[in-house]
Amino acid sequence: MTPQPQVKPSNPDDDVVSRQLAILSNPIPDSILAGIKGNAPSDVKEIAVKWLNFFNAPAEKCFYGLSSGRKVVTEVSLDADPLKEGQVLTLVCELDIAEESLLDRHGKLANAFIFSVLDETVSSAVTALGYATGGSGICGVSQSLNTVFYNTVDLGARLRFVNTTLTATPETTACRCEVWDLTQRRLVATGVFIGMPSSSPRQAARL
């Protein structure tokens, strides 16, 4: 018999990285961007959508990723900041709660799931604002996310995450988020995010 060559098992982490790089490299179809409300330019909307997709790259092995990956971006807007020089970006996403695996022992949506989605949406919002104001479009890291929960969420609800940036400078980023239950018409949670922009070379290429 002819010896068979040894095949090195693929590294699952390499697969995740490959998917993530593909998400950031491949353009979002114009038909999708055209369906997103708001006055932000298409490239700014694209950055927000790409980073939300990036966070869900490990979806095949993560129930959270499969569920969170169903987020729909409904609005990306840029407006003048009424309190200081600069702009405010608003990112609105909606998500249907359709999996029983997301429920806690009381039959309500786990707060951990809400917190995780909130972290993704605020991070995407400040990254998109940074890009809109001349930054590289590279997501930074979360430093704190102070979250308050007000009401529980039932299976079958539709949630809306309304993210409003506070700042996105080379030194720090900040954003607040309101989570609304559109089915029950009530506030679910609020969060205030503080992050640190990613360090990059002086000649960093924009995405």
Side-chain angles (χ1 to χ4, degrees):
M1 296 179 61
T2 304
Q4 298 297 315
Q6 295 294 319
V7 178
K8 185 179 179 179
S10 61
N11 187 338
D13 291 337
D14 292 341
D15 294 337
V16 171
V17 172
S18 296
R19 290 199 298 272
Q20 290 174 327
L21 291 176
I23 287 170
L24 296 179
S25 301
N26 296 330
I28 302 295
D30 291 339
S31 58
I32 293 178
L33 298 176
I36 299 175
K37 298 178 181 178
N39 64 354
S42 293
D43 59 337
V44 176
K45 292 180 179 179
E46 183 175 40
I47 285 293
V49 173
K50 279 186 173 182
W51 279 105
L52 287 172
N53 291 342
F54 175 93
F55 292 130
N56 298 308
E60 294 180 5
K61 297 184 178 180
C62 175
F63 80 93
Y64 157 77
L66 286 170
S67 303
S68 174
R70 298 190 178 97
K71 289 189 299 294
V72 176
V73 177
T74 60
E75 179 184 347
V76 183
S77 295
L78 279 170
D79 298 288
D81 193 320
L83 300 178
K84 65 181 188 305
E85 183 178 352
Q87 292 180 299
V88 173
L89 184 138
T90 301
L91 169 64
V92 182
C93 308
E94 295 184 2
L95 172 64
D96 291 323
I97 306 305
E99 291 81 21
E100 291 187 5
S101 60
L102 299 178
L103 305 182
D104 61 20
R105 62 190 179 90
H106 302 292
K108 303 296 182 180
L109 179 64
N111 286 346
F113 177 80
I114 298 173
F115 181 89
S116 297
V117 176
L118 201 157
D119 189 24
E120 293 178 351
T121 59
V122 291
S123 297
S124 299
V126 295
T127 303
L129 176 61
Y131 178 84
T133 54
S136 64
I138 302 298
C139 188
V141 296
S142 303
Q143 293 182 304
S144 68
L145 181 52
N146 295 319
T147 308
V148 179
F149 295 93
Y150 305 97
N151 289 292
T152 57
V153 177
D154 295 322
L155 185 67
R158 167 162 285 202
L159 298 184
R160 175 178 290 167
F161 294 76
V162 182
N163 306 272
T164 306
T165 59
L166 301 173
T167 188
T169 70
E171 293 76 30
T172 188
T173 58
C175 185
R176 67 176 181 269
C177 179
E178 297 176 356
V179 185
W180 290 89
D181 183 337
L182 298 184
T183 305
Q184 297 293 333
R185 299 180 63 83
R186 63 188 185 186
L187 184 65
V188 173
T190 56
V192 177
F193 163 89
I194 297 175
M196 181 175 65
S198 61
S199 58
S200 58
R202 293 181 180 179
Q203 299 299 325
R206 287 163 61 89
L207 290 176

